[in-house]
């Protein structure tokens, strides 16, 4: 009866430095070792038909993290991978165009909200089914608990024939004075960004109010690549699509809306204040996670310190977020300004603005522990049966030392095992690969040296995870090694036009 659609986009800036553009907040394990995305998948799964699946619309660059999250919950899901972000209107349309039945209800919900009472959530959704089956777009609003400037608002009108209320208007995120005024109106709800409707109704509404967005999405899905159980909309068509939120593109102008209130606990986890408020405070209003320590007269602080000891002495109203490569110290009144700081760091070329020191890969992850002029040191963790691509580097040499497990190494024409405390040198331009043939993780230290150490100095020739590979085969040398191909017999610096890392 209902197909959940989980919108997995997000730039990862509002919870910086814990979230980054390469690792947005929906993937962070914020609650009892589970991510917001995992909790969302678990929450919507009971709404599925016996033979149904969840549709997850997310970024191509996050496809392995999306796949891991789905696999970790055991959910049945179809991944629609956007080559570029075009906001919620396009994301919802891609899912609606993917639906096999235009009359089967779809539930659109963000992947990064915290709703602890799954049963109450399911009851709320089911309460809107009758209205949605009759052709309404059902929106769900949260009963406000305080005058928030972080959320948009929905004002409800009179009762609807199939339950709920008609929508009088949408209110954009207000300033503090306006938010206080809205709290005095019993008909005002926070806009939760959760919608229930027939995909055909959504398409008809967009045809009327935003036909250009619909046309671009139709073209993108008509040219979609559906190999490997993934749906990849046509990149050129989607890049031409206007980026717009569903609220602006449709909801604020559509007449057939019904709003249902939700009175359970809800948060969009949109700032560090929101994260802090989900934790129980001590008698002085302080909240501590990890290795935080408070000393002296301290009040209303929040410390997130999972990696090392962080001490706050005589502080009040501070947010302190510690990560291995960046530290945020902010007054709680400035929590909403974090996004602007990230924009500033990105303009300055700071890598901490977009990615963590620890980078997830489909085979495991690596952690860049040290970097200097012409060298870099990484810790690599390779999952059981995981394998790096068959690859080579033009600008750097590498030295691998295994510290845990047994690795299978391909080096030129040779393949051999490397045990703990053994090492191997990989000269620049040499074909190589690392595999984990066993059922326990491998940990090794990689030392890189060379004139360029960027992740885009990778030429792949084979890959188990479907990432792009070079069109040319590596060249065999008389000494049994392999080197990067040279097109048309002419020397070429592979630093120019390097393939994008994946």
């Amino acid at each position: 009866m209902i197909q959940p659609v989980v919108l997995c986009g997000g730039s990862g800036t509002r919870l910086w430095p814990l979230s980054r553009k390469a690792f947005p907040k929906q993937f962070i394990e914020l609650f009892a070792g589970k991510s917001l995305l995992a909790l969302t998948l678990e929450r919507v799964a009971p709404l599925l038909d016996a033979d149904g699946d969840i549709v997850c619309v997310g970024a191509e660059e996050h496809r392995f993290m999306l796949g891991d999250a789905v696999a970790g919950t055991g959910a049945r899901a179809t991944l629609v991978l956007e080559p570029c972000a075009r906001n919620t209107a396009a994301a919802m349309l891609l899912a609606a165009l993917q639906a096999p039945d235009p009359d089967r209800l779809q539930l659109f919900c963000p992947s990064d909200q915290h709703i602890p009472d799954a049963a109450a959530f399911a009851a709320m959704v089911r309460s809107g089914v009758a209205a949605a089956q009759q052709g309404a777009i059902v929106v769900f609003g949260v009963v406000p608990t305080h005058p928030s400037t972080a959320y948009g608002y929905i004002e409800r009108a009179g009762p609807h024939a199939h339950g709920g209320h008609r929508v009088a208007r949408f209110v954009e995120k207000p300033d503090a004075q306006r938010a206080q005024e809205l709290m005095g109106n019993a008909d005002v709800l926070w806009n939760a960004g959760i919608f229930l409707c027939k995909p055909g109704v959504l398409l008809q509404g967009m045809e009327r109010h935003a036909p250009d967005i619909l046309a671009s999405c139709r073209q993108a899905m008509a040219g979609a690549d559906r190999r490997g159980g993934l749906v990849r909309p046509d990149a050129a068509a989607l890049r031409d699509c206007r980026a717009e939120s569903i609220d602006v593109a449709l909801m604020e102008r559509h007449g057939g809306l019904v709003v249902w209130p939700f009175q359970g606990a809800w948060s969009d986890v949109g700032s560090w204040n929101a994260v802090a408020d989900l934790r129980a405070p001590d008698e002085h209003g302080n909240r501590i996670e990890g290795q935080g320590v408070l000393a002296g007269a301290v009040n209303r602080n929040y410390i997130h310190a999972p990696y090392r000891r962080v001490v706050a002495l005589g502080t009040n109203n501070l947010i302190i977020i510690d990560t291995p490569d960046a530290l945020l110290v902010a007054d709680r009144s400035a929590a909403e300004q974090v996004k602007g700081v990230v924009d500033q760091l990105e303009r300055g070329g700071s890598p901490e603005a977009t990615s963590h020191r620890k980078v997830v890969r489909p085979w495991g992850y690596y952690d860049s522990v040290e970097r200097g002029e012409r060298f870099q040191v990484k810790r690599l963790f390779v999952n059981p049966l995981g394998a790096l691509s068959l690859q080579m580097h033009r600008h750097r040499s590498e030295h691998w030392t295994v510290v845990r497990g047994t690795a299978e190494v391909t080096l030129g024409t040779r393949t051999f095992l490397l045990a703990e405390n053994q090492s191997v040198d990989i000269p620049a331009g040499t074909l190589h690969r690392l595999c984990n043939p066993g059922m326990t993780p491998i940990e090794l230290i990689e030392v890189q040296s060379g004139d360029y150490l960027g992740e885009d100095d990778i030429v792949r020739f084979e890959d188990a995870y479907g990432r792009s590979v070079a069109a040319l085969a590596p060249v065999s040398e008389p000494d049994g090694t392999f080197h990067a191909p040279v097109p048309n017999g002419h020397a070429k610096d592979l630093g120019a036009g390097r393939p994008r890392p994946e």
Side-chain angles (χ1 to χ4, degrees):
M1 182 173 63
I2 297 176
Q3 179 181 55
V5 177
V6 180
L7 306 176
C8 304
S11 62
T13 56
R14 293 191 290 174
L15 295 188
W16 186 89
L18 195 57
S19 67
R20 314 280 172 101
K21 289 188 175 181
F23 195 70
K25 68 174 180 177
Q26 60 266 29
F27 299 106
I28 300 171
E29 295 180 350
L30 281 175
F31 302 96
K34 292 185 178 182
S35 68
L36 291 168
L37 173 56
L39 292 171
T40 301
L41 293 170
E42 292 176 356
R43 187 165 59 247
V44 301
L47 298 169
L48 272 174
D49 296 340
D51 59 346
D53 66 339
I54 300 169
V55 175
C56 295
V57 184
E60 171 71 40
E61 64 187 290
H62 300 148
R63 72 177 175 108
F64 297 113
M65 293 188 289
L66 273 172
D68 287 345
V70 170
T73 61
R76 301 185 305 274
T78 297
L79 304 188
V80 179
L81 302 174
E82 298 174 294
C84 54
R86 287 296 178 264
N87 216 315
T88 52
M92 289 173 60
L93 283 176
L94 296 178
L97 291 165
Q98 171 71 15
D101 182 354
D103 290 326
R104 179 190 181 191
L105 297 182
Q106 286 185 317
L107 173 71
F108 301 90
C109 54
S111 62
D112 55 0
Q113 296 182 347
H114 181 59
I115 305 174
D117 192 339
F121 170 82
M124 174 191 73
V125 172
R126 293 189 177 104
S127 69
V129 165
Q133 287 177 332
Q134 294 302 312
I137 297 179
V138 178
V139 302
F140 296 101
V142 176
V143 176
T145 58
H146 60 278
S148 174
T149 61
Y151 309 135
Y153 290 71
I154 302 171
E155 184 175 351
R156 53 188 169 182
H160 186 268
H162 297 282
H165 289 75
R166 292 176 288 107
V167 172
R169 60 179 176 133
F170 281 75
V171 180
E172 292 297 316
K173 294 179 182 179
D175 58 24
Q177 179 178 348
R178 180 62 177 142
Q180 188 66 53
E181 293 172 356
L182 290 169
M183 282 296 293
N185 184 344
D187 290 323
V188 165
L189 304 167
W190 286 336
N191 182 3
I194 302 172
F195 308 96
L196 179 69
C197 66
K198 296 178 180 179
V201 170
L202 179 66
L203 298 177
Q204 291 169 10
M206 291 295 285
E207 183 69 67
R208 177 181 179 186
H209 296 291
D212 61 316
I213 299 178
L214 177 59
S216 294
C217 290
R218 284 192 190 278
Q219 185 178 354
M221 290 301 282
D225 182 343
R226 300 177 184 275
R227 291 175 294 178
L230 304 171
V231 180
R232 290 185 168 94
D234 180 72
L238 201 60
R239 288 192 187 98
D240 290 339
C241 182
R242 175 164 56 94
E244 192 69 89
S245 72
I246 193 65
D247 290 344
V248 174
L250 177 63
M251 301 302 173
E252 294 177 1
R253 296 183 281 174
H254 187 68
L257 299 181
V258 176
V259 61
W260 276 85
F262 177 60
Q263 299 188 4
W266 172 91
S267 172
D268 76 339
V269 199
S271 70
W272 279 114
N273 277 334
V275 175
D277 290 343
L278 294 173
R279 271 54 176 181
D282 66 14
E283 65 272 22
H284 300 291
N286 297 299
R287 298 167 168 90
I288 300 176
E289 291 186 275
Q291 302 183 53
V293 176
L294 297 171
V298 287
N299 299 279
R300 299 176 301 281
N301 297 285
Y302 174 65
I303 301 178
H304 179 88
Y307 302 103
R308 56 185 168 181
R309 189 73 65 193
V310 173
V311 180
L313 175 61
T315 62
N316 296 293
N317 300 309
L318 287 187
I319 292 172
I320 303 174
I321 311 299
D322 186 44
T323 70
D325 62 344
L327 172 68
L328 172 69
V329 180
D331 190 277
R332 291 197 63 161
S333 64
E336 301 290 342
Q337 302 174 30
V338 170
K339 183 180 183 299
V341 174
V342 177
D343 292 341
Q344 178 182 337
L345 292 172
E346 190 170 7
R347 289 194 299 269
S350 172
E352 292 83 5
T354 57
S355 60
H356 280 284
R357 204 182 77 172
K358 174 183 172 181
V359 177
V360 175
R361 287 288 185 257
W363 43 261
Y365 66 88
Y366 68 80
D367 185 5
S368 297
V369 298
E370 185 64 52
R371 183 166 187 160
E373 186 177 357
R374 297 182 60 87
F375 82 92
Q376 182 171 207
V377 180
K378 293 181 177 179
R379 298 170 63 201
L380 273 63
F381 293 80
V382 185
N383 295 326
L385 305 181
L388 281 66
S389 60
L390 186 65
Q391 62 183 248
M392 58 176 61
H393 312 294
R394 190 66 170 177
H395 296 274
R396 72 176 186 248
S397 299
E398 295 177 341
H399 180 85
W400 290 342
T401 300
V402 177
V403 296
R404 181 163 63 103
T406 299
E408 181 184 276
V409 176
T410 296
L411 185 65
T413 59
R414 298 186 299 137
T415 297
F416 53 92
L417 295 178
L418 207 64
E420 292 182 6
N421 300 320
Q422 293 183 331
S423 61
V424 63
D425 288 310
I426 304 165
T430 303
L431 191 72
H432 62 281
R433 172 159 53 193
L434 176 73
C435 298
N436 183 353
M439 299 306 296
T440 58
I442 292 174
E443 179 180 354
L444 65 151
I445 302 299
E446 176 181 275
V447 180
Q448 303 175 356
S449 60
D451 60 358
Y452 182 78
L453 305 174
E455 283 301 301
D456 49 0
D457 182 26
I458 298 176
V459 183
R460 292 190 177 94
F461 298 100
E462 295 177 7
D463 185 71
Y465 308 102
R467 295 173 293 181
S468 59
V469 297
L472 299 175
V475 178
S476 177
E477 300 294 342
D479 62 359
T481 63
F482 283 81
H483 291 274
V486 182
N488 302 323
H490 299 290
K492 179 182 180 182
D493 179 2
L494 292 185
R498 299 185 185 95
R500 179 174 62 88
E502 299 180 77

